[in-house]
Every structure is written in C-alpha cells, then in structure tokens.
Amino acid sequence: MIEQPTFATSPFFLGLSNTDRNAPFVIAGIPLDIGVTNRAGARSGPAAIRTASRMLAGNDHPHHWVSVDAMPIADIGDFAIALGDIPRSLALIEQQAAPLNHLLALGGEHGITLALLRALSKRLRSPLGLVHFDAHADTWDENFGQAYSHGSVFFHAINEGLVDPRRMIQIGIRSPLPRATYDWTVGKGVTILSAQDVHEIGIAATAERIHAVVGAQEPTYLSFDIDCLDPGCAPGTGTPEIGGLASFQAQALIRRLGGIDFVGMDLVEVAPAYDVSEITALAGATMVWEYLALRQANASG
Amino acid sequence: MIEQPTFATSPFFLGLSNTDRNAPFVIAGIPLDIGVTNRAGARSGPAAIRTASRMLAGNDHPHHWVSVDAMPIADIGDFAIALGDIPRSLALIEQQAAPLNHLLALGGEHGITLALLRALSKRLRSPLGLVHFDAHADTWDENFGQAYSHGSVFFHAINEGLVDPRRMIQIGIRSPLPRATYDWTVGKGVTILSAQDVHEIGIAATAERIHAVVGAQEPTYLSFDIDCLDPGCAPGTGTPEIGGLASFQAQALIRRLGGIDFVGMDLVEVAPAYDVSEITALAGATMVWEYLALRQANASG
Amino acid sequence: MIEQPTFATSPFFLGLSNTDRNAPFVIAGIPLDIGVTNRAGARSGPAAIRTASRMLAGNDHPHHWVSVDAMPIADIGDFAIALGDIPRSLALIEQQAAPLNHLLALGGEHGITLALLRALSKRLRSPLGLVHFDAHADTWDENFGQAYSHGSVFFHAINEGLVDPRRMIQIGIRSPLPRATYDWTVGKGVTILSAQDVHEIGIAATAERIHAVVGAQEPTYLSFDIDCLDPGCAPGTGTPEIGGLASFQAQALIRRLGGIDFVGMDLVEVAPAYDVSEITALAGATMVWEYLALRQANASG
Amino acid sequence: MIEQPTFATSPFFLGLSNTDRNAPFVIAGIPLDIGVTNRAGARSGPAAIRTASRMLAGNDHPHHWVSVDAMPIADIGDFAIALGDIPRSLALIEQQAAPLNHLLALGGEHGITLALLRALSKRLRSPLGLVHFDAHADTWDENFGQAYSHGSVFFHAINEGLVDPRRMIQIGIRSPLPRATYDWTVGKGVTILSAQDVHEIGIAATAERIHAVVGAQEPTYLSFDIDCLDPGCAPGTGTPEIGGLASFQAQALIRRLGGIDFVGMDLVEVAPAYDVSEITALAGATMVWEYLALRQANASG
Amino acid sequence: MIEQPTFATSPFFLGLSNTDRNAPFVIAGIPLDIGVTNRAGARSGPAAIRTASRMLAGNDHPHHWVSVDAMPIADIGDFAIALGDIPRSLALIEQQAAPLNHLLALGGEHGITLALLRALSKRLRSPLGLVHFDAHADTWDENFGQAYSHGSVFFHAINEGLVDPRRMIQIGIRSPLPRATYDWTVGKGVTILSAQDVHEIGIAATAERIHAVVGAQEPTYLSFDIDCLDPGCAPGTGTPEIGGLASFQAQALIRRLGGIDFVGMDLVEVAPAYDVSEITALAGATMVWEYLALRQANASG
Amino acid sequence: MIEQPTFATSPFFLGLSNTDRNAPFVIAGIPLDIGVTNRAGARSGPAAIRTASRMLAGNDHPHHWVSVDAMPIADIGDFAIALGDIPRSLALIEQQAAPLNHLLALGGEHGITLALLRALSKRLRSPLGLVHFDAHADTWDENFGQAYSHGSVFFHAINEGLVDPRRMIQIGIRSPLPRATYDWTVGKGVTILSAQDVHEIGIAATAERIHAVVGAQEPTYLSFDIDCLDPGCAPGTGTPEIGGLASFQAQALIRRLGGIDFVGMDLVEVAPAYDVSEITALAGATMVWEYLALRQANASG
C-alpha cells in the first residue's frame, strides 16, 4: 500500500526503501555511457527509470495478478564506475555484480552487459541462454576502433563463452549491419528475428520461437535494449532505428516467457535527454516490472 | 467554408463562432485537474484541444462524408470551477451541465465525468450505458485518501446508480490495479477489454463487443480518457501507461459505433505541458470530431 | 567504411563527400515552405534529414543486403529558391532539377513536387506513374486563395498531364477532405488507399495494389510526404493527422516495390521545429535510404 | 474583474470579449511569416501572444496604476492574408488597417510593418516618427533577392516617405550588417543605439535619447521586434542574436516614453515553435500591455 | 567527499543519506500545488530540486568557503499531503513541520508557506520577520473564490499575526496587482522593492534595505518564490512575469544577509514541466544551498 | 556575399566551403565528451555550433566593421578521436592540431584543451598566456578517479608548463570548489575573477585586468567554456551554474581584447541535447566569430 501520491513517492525503483545488497532481487543502476557510438546520455538512464517506475507501484499486475511490491527487492543505488574509462568500469561492474543474488541492472549503455554476463557466467560455470531485445545485433567486432563499445557486447560474450549462441535469440533487429557481421552471428548459431519478422508472424509465433531457442532447463538471461522499441514509443535513446516494436508487443512477449529459468536481466540505453515526457523511461521501467511480475507469477504459479 | 488558413483560425473548437448555450450540440471546456494523482496540468487541456481542432475544420469527414462544421454546434467556452476545491467544482459543473442539450466536454481530468453523469442521469431519470476508453478502470474506492480523485469516477457512478454497469464497457485498460478493484468492477457487471485484448481480437470484434454490451435502445455516454492511447501517440497526459491503443484503433472503433444512442461525451486528461508538438491535443480533438461525425452520419443515415 | 563515429560524420546525406551534379543519383535539398497551410518550418527539413541520415551510413541494408554507401550518389546541397515567392521558386526548382540524372529531393513542402514533376515529364515526354504516400490527397483546386500551396500539387500535376492518374496511387490518406475533391480525384482514375485501408488489408495486399496500379513497364515517381506516418512516429510536420501508418508499414511497403521503374523521388514536409529527438528526420532519411537500397537491389538483382 | 482563473480565460488579448472594429484601440493578429530569412513560424505568434496575455488581465499596472482592462479595446482576431503571397498580403493588410482607430498589431514577421505604416501615413498625410526596438536595422535594400522580406521594411519606409528618418531611433541593434547598409541608414538621419550602447549608457540616458529624437509634438509609431531582447529572454524568434536587452530594460524604457504622441504599435517576430514555456510570447504580450498602460496613464495623467 | 560522479549521486538534496527527522537542519519536500492560479505542476518541484542539487555537492562554497555537505542536514523526503484538498493539506503540513528543528521546505506552491509560518509562529510565540523574494505580493484577499490559493499567503499571514509586517520586505515584485491590494500591504507596514527598484538601486542598497527592515535581533523567515527570477533564468514556474531578477542578483543578495537570525526557509513554485534543461530547478537548489552556506558561515564566523 | 537564405546555407562554420588544412585560420570540431562529470553530449557541439553560425555569415561585424567571411578560414571538419578512450583521444587531438596554422577548435568537452595546449606549447617552445572564460576553475587534481576529466585541464596545463600561470586569468568562475583547489590555483599565480566580480566591477575594469595579466607581447590562448555564461543564456551545457555572465558581457569583453597576441582558441562544452532553440550553440558560434573579427580588426587596424 502506497501512502503517498505518485508524485511524492521516493525516487527509488517502485519507491522501494529496501537497500539490502543481499536481497533475493536487487535493482542497481549502472550509469556507464562512454562506449556509445552516437547520441550520449544513457548515464542519466537509471535515475529516469526509477522516477518513472513510481507509477507502477502499489497495485497488482493486471495480467499475472501478482504484486511486485510484495517481492523481496532492494534498490541498492548505482554501481561505482570509473569515469571516462571503459576497461576499468567493466572490471568494477563485474566485481560489484558478482556477489548479488538476482540482479536487474538499469543502464547505462549496452556495454555493461558484457561485465554482467562475465559475473554470472563465472558463478554459474556454464554459458547462459540469452533473450535479447534490440534494434542492433551488437556483434560488431569493433566500432570506430573501440573494441568494447556498446556495439560489440555479444561478439565478446560469444567469443568468451559467456553465452551459448545456440540458446541465444535476438528480437527486433533492424539496423544497417555489415553482411559479414550478420553471417558471423548466424553462423555461430544465434537466432535473429527482425522487427519486420515480429510484425509479420505476430506475438504468439515469436514467443514460441523464443521458448524453442532458449528452453526451460538451463539458466537464461534477458537483455532488453530500449531501442528495440519504435522511436515513436521510445525516442529517448542513443541509436534509434525506425520500424521497431510497439511497446505492447514487447510487453506481450515478456508476459509469455513463463517457465524460462531467468537468472538476471538488464534494461539499457535509455537516454533521458532525448526522451519526451518520460515515455521512454516509463517503457524501460515497465519492462523491468513485467520481468519481476513474470518471476513472481512463476514462483507462485 | 473556412476563409482563413488553419493558423489564423479563431481558437474555438473547429473555429466555431456560435456561442449559444441552447445549441443542439455544445462544446465546453472544464479545466479542473486537482484530483489528478500524478502529473498535473489537465487544466490547460481545453485550450490546447481547441487550438488543435482547427486543423479539422472546413472539410468533410473522409469516412462518413458529412460536414461537422455544418452541424448546429456552439463552443460556449469554459465552465466556471471553484479553484482548488473538488466538491464545490463538481457541484458547479453539474449545475452548468444540467441545462445543456448535448454536451461534449473537454477536460480537465476524469473527475469531471462524475458531475456530468449526475446531470445527465437526473435529466434522463435512468442509468446510462457507458462506452469508456481508458488505461485505467477508475473504479478505485479512493486514491491516497481522496474520495473524488480522477481514479474513483466510476466507483461513484456505479454506486450512485448513474450508469448501469451491465451496459458499461471499458476499452484499453492496462494499468496496475488491485485485484480487489478489478473483481469489484467485473462483479458489478462491467465488461473490461484490456489494451492487449484489443490488440489480439482486433477492431471488428471489439466493436461488436461494445454494441453487445450497450445496445442500441437506451441512452449511452462516451467517456474518452486520452490515456487509453499509447504514450507514443499521446504523451501529453498525467498517468500514461505503455502498451496502449494506436490512435487509428480508437478512431476505427468510434466509426463503428453507429446506431448507439449517445447522449453526451467527454474527452479528458489531455495535459499539454507533457505534450509534444500538439499531437495529444490533436488526438483529443479528433476523437471529439469523430463523435460528431458519427452523430451527423446517424442523423442523415 | 566510415572512419568517424556517427556524431562526427559530416552532415551530408549519409556523410557523402561526392558533390558532382552529374552523378547517377543526386540528393538535393529544396527548402521551400511558404505554401504550407498550417505549421511552418519545412525549410529546415533538408538539414535535419541529412544530419539524421548519418546513422544509416557505413553498413549494409539488412533486408536487401546491399550497401547504399557504395552507390554513385552525390549530395549537391540545397537548390536556390526565391525567398518568399512561390512562382519564381517553382521555376527555379524546375530549372535546377532538369539536368540531373536521378534526383532524390529533400523538402521542403510538398509544393516542390509540382516543379520536379514538370522537369521529369518534360524530359521523359510522357506522364509519369505515381506512388504517393501522404495523409492528404493534395488535389485541392486551391487553398485559402493560393493556387500553388502544398495542397494542390496533384490537382495541377494531373491537369498539366504530368502524371497519369490511372497509374497513380495514394497511400495513407485520412485528412478531412471535401467530398467534391475526393470525387474529382477518384473520377480522374486515381486509386486511393486510406490509412484505415492499409491497417485493415495489411502490407502484402497494399503492395499488390501498388504494383497493379503503376505497373513495371513505364516510368514512375515516388513522392513521400512524411505526414503519411502517424504523428506518434513523425510529429515534426506541418499538417499532422492522427491514425497514420506506423513507420514499419511504410518501410515494408517500399521494400516490396522492386521491379517498378522509379525515375525519381522526394521526401517532403519534415518540419524540424516540431520534431522530437530527430525521430521524424530519421524516418525521412530512412525512407530515402530504403528507396536507394531498393534501386541498388534491383540493379544487382 | 476576471471571474475565471487564468487558465480558463478566453484566448483573446487579455481575455477581451469586445470585437468591435470601431473601438478606440484595436488588437489584431497578422499571421504573415513568409518573408522571414531564417527560422519560420511567426504566423503562430498572434495566437501565442493572446494566450500568454491572459496572465496580465484583471489587475492594475504596478507602475502607472491604471487598469488596462478598463480601456476601450477590441480584439478583432486575425487579418486576412494571402497565403504564400507577399505583395497581395501587404495590400490586404494595408486595406484592413486603414479604417481602424488605433491599431496594436500582433505579428507575424516584421514585413507587416511596411503595410501598417503605409496605412497610417496615408491617413495622417505626413511621415511618422519611429521608435524601433530590434536586433536588426531592417534597412537592407533586399534579402536573397526578395525586396519585401522582413529585413527591408525600413529601407522601403524611408524611401516611400512613410517615416521621417530624423525622427527615427533604433534600439538594440547588434546583428551582423553590411557597413554600406549602416552608413545608408545613418546617412538618412536615423539614430541607432546598439544593444551594447544601451548596456553601457543605461535606461535613463537611452530614454532621453528617444525623447530627443522623436519629440512630443508629432505622431510617432512604436515597432517592437521581439528579437531586440536577448535570446535568453526570448528564444522564440526567427533570427535571434545574442547580447540583447534584458526584458526589464525594454519594459523600463517603454514606461519612460510618456508624452510621445503614439498613433499605433506592432509587436512582431514571436515564433512559438522556438519558444520555451511561453516566455517569448509573454514578453511580447507584456510589451503590448506596457504600451496600453502608457497610453492610459497619459490620458489620465 | 563525493565518491560518485554527479550523474550517479543519489537523488536526495546534495546526495544526503541522513534521514533523521531530529537533525538540526531538515530538508523536506511539500508537493502541494492545487492552489495555483495558472500553470500547474509545482508538485513535481521537490524531486526536480533534489536532482539538480547534486551538482552542488562535494565542494566548498566559493564565497563563504564553508562546506555545506559537512552540516548536520537530513533530507526526510516529502511531507504527506491530502490529495486534492487544501485545508486538510495545510493542517497536515503544519503538523509535520511543528516538531522539526530548522526546516528548509522545497515546494510545491507558495500556499504551503502559510502552514509553515503557523507552525513556526506557534513555537516561537511571536510574529516573524520575513524576507520575501517574489514577483507577486501574494496579499490578495482571495483568488477566483479560493481563500487559500498561492496568492493569499501573506494576506493571511499578516491577518493571523504570524509575521510582523513592519519586519517584512518583499523583493522582486512586478506582477499586475490591484491598487487596493498594494495599498493594503504597504498600509500594514510591509516594505516592497519591485524588480525595477532592485535593477535601479543595485545589490548593495537592496541588501541594506533588507537588513534595515528585518533587523538582526528577532527571528526571521526566508520565503523564496522562484518566480522572483526572470523567466529567462527560471521558465519552470506557474505564474512567470518578465523583467525579473537575474539569478546572480538573488544569489548576491542572499550572500549579504549574514547576521539575520533566520529560523527557516522555503523555496517554492518550481514547476518542472515548464523548465528547460533543469535550469529552474538548479536555481532553486542553489538558493537553498546559498542559505545553508550563509548559516554555516554565520555559525563559524 | 551569401546567395542562399540562412536556412539553406551549407552547415559549415559560416557556410565556408574552404577545407584547406593549410589555411591561415582553421576551424575544426573535436567531438570528445567522455570526460564530462555530469550531463553528457558535448560530442554533438561542433555540428550545432556550425549550424548556428550560419546566421552570422555574409555581413560585416557591427563593432569592428570587418568582414569575417573575407578572412582566409577553412573548416576542415571534425578531428578523429578514439571512441571511448581519453588518453588515445588526447594523443590524436594533439597530433592533428600540431601542423595547423591557427586553430579555432569547436568542442567537445574542455578536456580537449589540454591536447591543444600541448601542441601549441611544443611549437612555440614557451608557456602560453591564457584568457579563460568558465564557471569552473578546472584545476582539480582529479575528478572521481579520472585524472584527465574536463575538470583537471588546467591542473595539468600548469604542471606540464604549457601555460604560464602568472599570465593566466579566469573569468566567470563560480562553481562550488574545494578551498584547497582554489588556493593551489591562486598560489600558482593564476588570477581569478568570479562572475560576481565581473557583475560588480563591470566590463571596462574586467578588460583592464585581462590586459594587465596576459600582456601584449607574448603568445596567448583563449579558452571559452560556454558555461561561463548564465544558464538562462546557455542552458545547453553539461555542468551549468547559475549566476553567470550575460552573453553581452562576454561579447563586450572579447571586443576589448585587441592587441593581445592570440595564437589559438577553443569554444567548449556546448551540449545540444540540453539546448533550447539553438541559443547556446548560437552563443558559442558568436564568440568564435567575435574572436575572428578581433583578429581581423587587429590585422587591419
């Protein structure tokens, strides 16, 4: 029960007051954005997502009929990063993520996912499955000379054995892309569903493909780049691409991912300086909330 | 025939110069917004909707092929409200609405609908049917201690016998919601179609459900909360929820509501400070114009 | 291969450095906007589209798998126009367009298309087919006393014999429109698919209708008014109408227009002062890029 | 006495309901903007200024202690203009201005002033004195080939004998300017006070210079281009120049112009698409209100 | 010492982690805004001021050379208010303020000051001196029928004996104002310095007047309405008036108020929906920080 | 002579078409921004400054009466930087700056100045004088662990012997600052004029101080951080501080710097995502233009 109107709720995720790093579910912001190849500003994403999330607090989820507020979630604030230094920041992020139980990371740019996968992979001692919403495959071998930009995350994650590419599916892909990069990705075994594919085959078939690829038995990670959504729904991001998913599509997909053994998630690339009236931040907050509700529904289901 | 370009048209609804309170159709702004639970500013909605409406003037409706400009409509300006006082404002609104023939109210927050339904219900001496577009059920029993916020309109309307819940349908619902509130609403007999429902079953099936619920014989009211639309289409509102209707869906639905005996409508929750380039205000103006065209088509059809 | 990050790319279309007016494909801005009937500012469209286009450079098209950067395209800057003078501007535009090989014009308002069609029609000595994306039919006989506003382009184009109305199809139409104007247009033989039509019949059927109308044998022109898109996707325009196409729909349609003998295109009515975070400019840039990729795919296919 | 809160006041100048064209003071919008050399959109200025002016209604002027609301002022709406046609628009404006008693024109671009001066000069049968606030001298002989752009207004006004250059003073001038244009202007007898001059010599000395130049005996016109203000105070304009007047300086200057025989005024170049939170429109509205208060104080003083 | 970059600092005032209600200095948000007579949204002020304040943390004040971070300050979050109910909210605010040691309140609208003065006055058992920065005198006897709007705060404060009008000075006043209201205020003994006065007499003379009016012996309150600043510096507010103070003027004045026995302060009327790039929120945060530094300098001086 | 209206001018500095790296004066963008401690986005500064600069082309400077367009200036585009890597970027910048004759750099963040001073100092073989406009001293020994952030530029420049601190003056300083950092800076011999100092002593005295500090004999560099201006004039920057210079003050100061032997300049920290209607970019462009006019006036004087 929320006693304050939305506008007076404390600016933590869902207005949470729990800050215990040992909580079963942990929200943390990771305000790194210096590996972004176009518009800057994802560093301000965590604060914006938290602020927007307050609208979702204090009621039940209208599909799963669970209360996310009732879950054992802590918001531990933002990770320390090394200002202006990608390698040191990735090391710091990995180190801070390692001891947490089940992390939901609020980016920041997509580059942070590499550090998070390294931490998880070390702990689980096996490659992860991956459900990856994005406009971009993020499997470039480098971008403009930078090996660890936000466009190379999954190139490294696959090469480092952090994810199992045969258990990896990308949804919403539509950016210009070198044919060689595409071929490398598919050649590794990754399944790619473009945004046009989703528009054509629909929600149910897309969800089936996700289940078919990642399975229910082994641990899987959810990485949600907000630019998988159409710029009309999510203008506040650094590398928008038109023709993306409507927010209802992404929401409906997450709702259908019950039974997958998710071990963590991130929501990345919200750049509030390019947002309008917080709609991108709200979309980001809602996707995290959908993930939590899915977990709660699975647990109680 | 409009003799001035759009940008020079007088800022009344459709540039109307008729201000006769006895006109068969009456547009009025109701700039109340102090019962809003999140972002403020719906008080500026009427002016913004009027300004945006000028784009729709001077031509025929491209579906019904009627001229809304030719209808006997007056724009009588804004209702007096009691600054900072909900109960007195509701009384004032009811009193001003009572003598009007067929009112199309431009909100303002959704709280005004309670006063409008009281006025109509008294005149018609029977509960109304209700077609209700919204992201929120608005059947909370109270919000943060306030009994008459914008979230409790239909809780009161049902309890006061102003609407017949068995002839009431809600379209686009998707916000977090206490299970008990949902159960109360459905238990009263209200039909709820979530936004995901509409996306799944489509326009035609949704329109059929509306007709089935409200019927053609008895008087029905249309209450259109702009937040039923997706924030991408309508960012300028106080309590946005992602995953909403595209504007074409709402438009298509209204076009299919011929034959229903509508006795009034409102368009609420446009908050221009959060709008971008007037697209929310234009969406609001267009829904009112669609309603008018539907009436005109019914009359001439 | 692009050596600079997107944000450091030169602000020409796709960062092109070729400025040769004799290039096989020529990009030119045409910053006329004084015939606009509502919100001004399309004069700033060419610069915004070029800036946004940089995001599309340096990679392959993810559907046709061609490289648009590799095409022989020049960006020759903006056409000279006559400040504040429509007739002189139209004459100047026609004169500058005449010697160019294959022009892709960045508007500016839709009024420029009349001059472009005059130039092409003179060279080809026969009326053109036309694929016309728009919210408006643009076949008014005049607007507010101005014969050559952006609302009368195709009234003149048909009357002057520049296009063959039986080989002309309009997609996305939905604005208020005098019945007489509609009847005149259809009476001339033009095919009109409203936005609601496209939403109902879908991409594949719409693409079929386009092919059926314009055919593969004779030269055809593509005129893309950005307001065919929904204001949620494209707020930055002068005469927005709700209920429009999602950007994925327009993109999917252009991808299916292979085999048509296109001889030129324009992308008009981007008004950056009303845009948010460049999403309208990016939509415009992407449509031009889709057209180029289609040409390249046709050539290599 | 205003009975409605500001946000519910009718969007006429100061919420006026008088529309009598024979009123002693007449407000009219003149939404011409096609002679603007840079950012478009002054056509939307009149509506924005009217909306903003509502904040000034219903109370006394805190310096002159007069009530502007009590003056015999009508707001007659916008003048008809010829869409996209400068010469015809100037003729229409002159014709509509001619019969009005004392016109306060809301632009629109500065080009309208030429037509207004023609109308006044014809009636008064003698050249006018001129107090001209602006960042630009507006005495170019042409701009980019257009003789009647907003940059040539006073070149023509002087050449046509509408104003007496020895009774003309320009305040706030600071834009880049051809030396020849400056020399021509000064050579004609015009007094120019740059913005830096005003910052250096202060309000009192500037006001003295104005009185010294225009005198008290003969009719004088006030032309206020909003870009005389600094872009920090007035971003919403087409050709901003940094280093301008603070709004308090302009306000203080107008308050000291008592005793001058003003016969009309205009407030031009408010371009709302570039405004932020209506501060430019409010600055424009306030300058008109200051002028009215000055007149009222003179009359009662 | 701040260990996180500004953008990663926790969104409490100056990033404070102390939440102890018994701290010697207490920051609290009071998100009431329903008594605002024009643009809504001051409810979102506290969150915006806190976010902006992070830029001021972790260093010394460059004039007083004290560290505000080192002071015993708690940020206790937002006061509970009664949604949509002014009288109940005022009672709740008074009740929550009563036990706090030295409150710095972040509004919210100016109406909250009445409740805060009631609490302080009861505790101190004598009327307070008042330094009041504002564009408006706020001594209307009512506004549009509402006795407790933001425009009547000091009418009540004087009538209820909460402040001693002879020890009350208003700085920056410039709005339209009924002569009778002005006369009542001055008649009660209040000193009014208009914004034009401050511009004319300068900082030093204004500071002297403040000291002369409030003295050093008796307790004094600082009420800072952000609209005392010019809209160019502070667009994000509900009732802007042009011609206001530059932020450097207000800052310089506060720095010269050493020796006054301040017992509390508030910073009101920041309405973030009308702000641009947080400059209004930053101005608000900085004024609170200036006040704190002044206190610290006084204590250590 | 400019043949195109401003809005159609090519988006190079002043619309220049000269791209010769050997030109006597060279404009280059340096889009580095990853060492920024707060709001990101100065990478987009060069493009925005160029676009805004077009307003200044084609006329004479109204104070010096020289034509900047006539000067031998090239705009060579943006420097290559190493994406996401500060040390490599600084090395690249130094290397690219080294061979240029007289560089005017468009930032990007202030961190670039270190590389530029290194290049100049090597060539001139002696420390430079420095005129430094800024809100921040930028002499922190590190920021949040990063030695080469934008806050440490002059700590390194002094320590590396690139500038002579006794010939270094900082104007506009006002941010919170550790006392130790201030003392270190002053202890090295740097002259600091705070923004409050400038407001108090005025333009003439400030200019005298600058001349007194840097002298006329030895080479001097101008580094202009746009945040020296007040956020009201320049909201589009990463670390705004209220109470800054009005743009007219900075402009007047530069105009009085004749006779100083300037060997280069930079204009840094324009962050367009936080700008409003390009006013910050225009302020930046104008300062560069003032510098060029000063050089031209010196040369011809």
Side-chain angles (χ1 to χ4, degrees), chain A residues 245-259:
Chain A
L245 303 194
S247 56
F248 86 84
Q249 292 174 310
Q251 229 174 344
L253 286 172
I254 296 178
R255 288 181 183 180
R256 289 168 188 248
L257 300 188

Side-chain angles (χ1 to χ4, degrees), chain A residues 65-85:
Chain A
W65 293 116
V66 296
S67 166
V68 171
D69 308 77
M71 293 173 69
I73 314 171
D75 182 344
I76 63 169
D78 282 4
F79 275 15
I81 58 162
L83 185 71
D85 188 328

Side-chain angles (χ1 to χ4, degrees), chain A residues 36-39 140 144 174-179 182 196 199-200 230-232 235 238-243 274-276, chain C residues 2-7 55-56 59-60 62 65 232-233 247-248 251-252 255-256 276-279 282-283 286-287 289:
Chain A
V36 168
T37 53
N38 190 25
R39 308 193 301 204
W140 273 259
F144 312 111
R174 62 194 182 277
S175 84
L177 178 73
R179 181 70 188 255
Y182 179 83
Q196 294 280 357
H199 293 309
E200 275 174 41
D230 193 75
T239 48
E241 307 281 348
I242 69 166
Y274 295 95
D275 202 1
V276 47
Chain C
I2 291 292
E3 292 167 3
Q4 288 278 64
T6 304
F7 53 83
M55 277 198 59
L56 304 167
N59 291 298
D60 296 318
W65 293 115
C233 294
S247 56
F248 86 84
Q251 226 174 346
R255 288 183 183 178
R256 288 168 188 250
V276 47
S277 296
E278 302 191 316
I279 66 174
L282 180 63
T286 305
M287 297 309 166
W289 175 75

Side-chain angles (χ1 to χ4, degrees), chain E residues 2 4-7 55-56 59-60 62 65 232-233 247-248 251-252 255-256 276-279 282-283 286-287 289, chain F residues 36-39 140 144 174-179 182 196 199-200 230-232 235 239-243 274-276:
Chain E
I2 291 292
Q4 287 280 63
T6 305
F7 54 84
M55 278 199 59
L56 304 166
N59 291 297
D60 296 318
W65 292 117
C233 294
S247 56
F248 87 84
Q251 226 174 347
R255 288 182 183 180
R256 288 167 188 251
V276 47
S277 296
E278 303 190 316
I279 66 174
L282 180 62
T286 305
M287 297 308 165
W289 175 76
Chain F
V36 168
T37 53
N38 189 26
R39 308 194 300 205
W140 273 258
F144 312 110
R174 63 193 182 278
S175 84
L177 178 72
R179 181 68 187 257
Y182 179 82
Q196 293 278 357
H199 293 309
E200 275 175 42
D230 193 74
T239 49
E241 307 282 349
I242 70 165
Y274 295 95
D275 203 1
V276 47

Side-chain angles (χ1 to χ4, degrees), chain A residues 31-300:
Chain A
L32 186 77
D33 70 355
I34 64 177
V36 168
T37 53
N38 190 25
R39 308 193 301 204
R43 64 181 61 185
S44 303
I49 295 169
R50 284 184 178 106
T51 296
S53 76
R54 300 175 307 168
M55 279 199 56
L56 304 166
N59 290 296
D60 296 318
H61 188 280
H63 176 80
H64 298 302
W65 293 116
V66 296
S67 166
V68 171
D69 308 77
M71 293 173 69
I73 314 171
D75 182 344
I76 63 169
D78 282 4
F79 275 15
I81 58 162
L83 185 71
D85 188 328
I86 293 178
R88 267 215 306 146
S89 290
L90 293 182
L92 278 167
I93 293 165
E94 182 181 346
Q95 178 186 324
Q96 290 165 92
L100 303 173
N101 283 318
H102 190 123
L103 175 61
L104 300 95
L106 312 177
E109 51 145 304
H110 219 152
I112 65 171
T113 304
L114 183 60
L116 300 174
L117 291 173
R118 283 173 178 166
L120 270 177
S121 176
K122 268 187 199 155
R123 191 198 314 173
L124 298 170
R125 294 163 191 253
S126 75
L128 294 155
L130 189 70
V131 179
H132 174 208
F133 288 84
D134 207 324
H136 310 85
D138 287 357
T139 50
W140 273 259
D141 55 357
E142 59 91 51
N143 292 80
F144 312 111
Q146 171 56 253
Y148 292 95
S149 88
H150 68 163
S152 303
V153 179
F154 299 109
F155 174 78
H156 296 298
I158 290 172
N159 278 348
E160 298 182 13
L162 311 177
V163 301
D164 174 355
R166 287 154 310 175
R167 294 188 53 244
M168 173 171 172
I169 183 165
Q170 301 188 306
I171 303 130
I173 308 304
R174 62 194 182 277
S175 84
L177 178 73
R179 181 70 188 255
T181 301
Y182 179 83
D183 287 347
W184 181 90
T185 311
V186 172
K188 287 290 180 182
V190 175
T191 303
I192 297 181
L193 288 179
S194 73
Q196 294 280 357
D197 290 338
V198 176
H199 293 309
E200 275 174 41
I201 68 176
I203 299 302
T206 302
E208 269 174 43
R209 290 293 297 278
I210 298 173
H211 281 287
V213 168
V214 302
Q217 307 305 322
E218 290 168 284
T220 298
Y221 188 81
L222 177 67
S223 188
F224 196 105
D225 185 323
I226 202 71
D227 68 22
C228 75
L229 300 183
D230 193 75
C233 294
T237 195
T239 48
E241 307 281 348
I242 69 166
L245 303 194
S247 56
F248 86 84
Q249 292 174 310
Q251 229 174 344
L253 286 172
I254 296 178
R255 288 181 183 180
R256 289 168 188 248
L257 300 188
I260 296 175
D261 180 23
F262 282 116
V263 296
M265 90 164 286
D266 55 58
L267 190 295
V268 295
E269 300 287 354
V270 172
Y274 295 95
D275 202 1
V276 47
S277 295
E278 302 191 316
I279 65 173
T280 311
L282 180 63
T286 306
M287 296 309 164
V288 177
W289 175 76
E290 289 284 352
Y291 175 89
L292 284 165
L294 181 77
R295 294 291 311 179
Q296 179 77 334
N298 271 4
S300 42

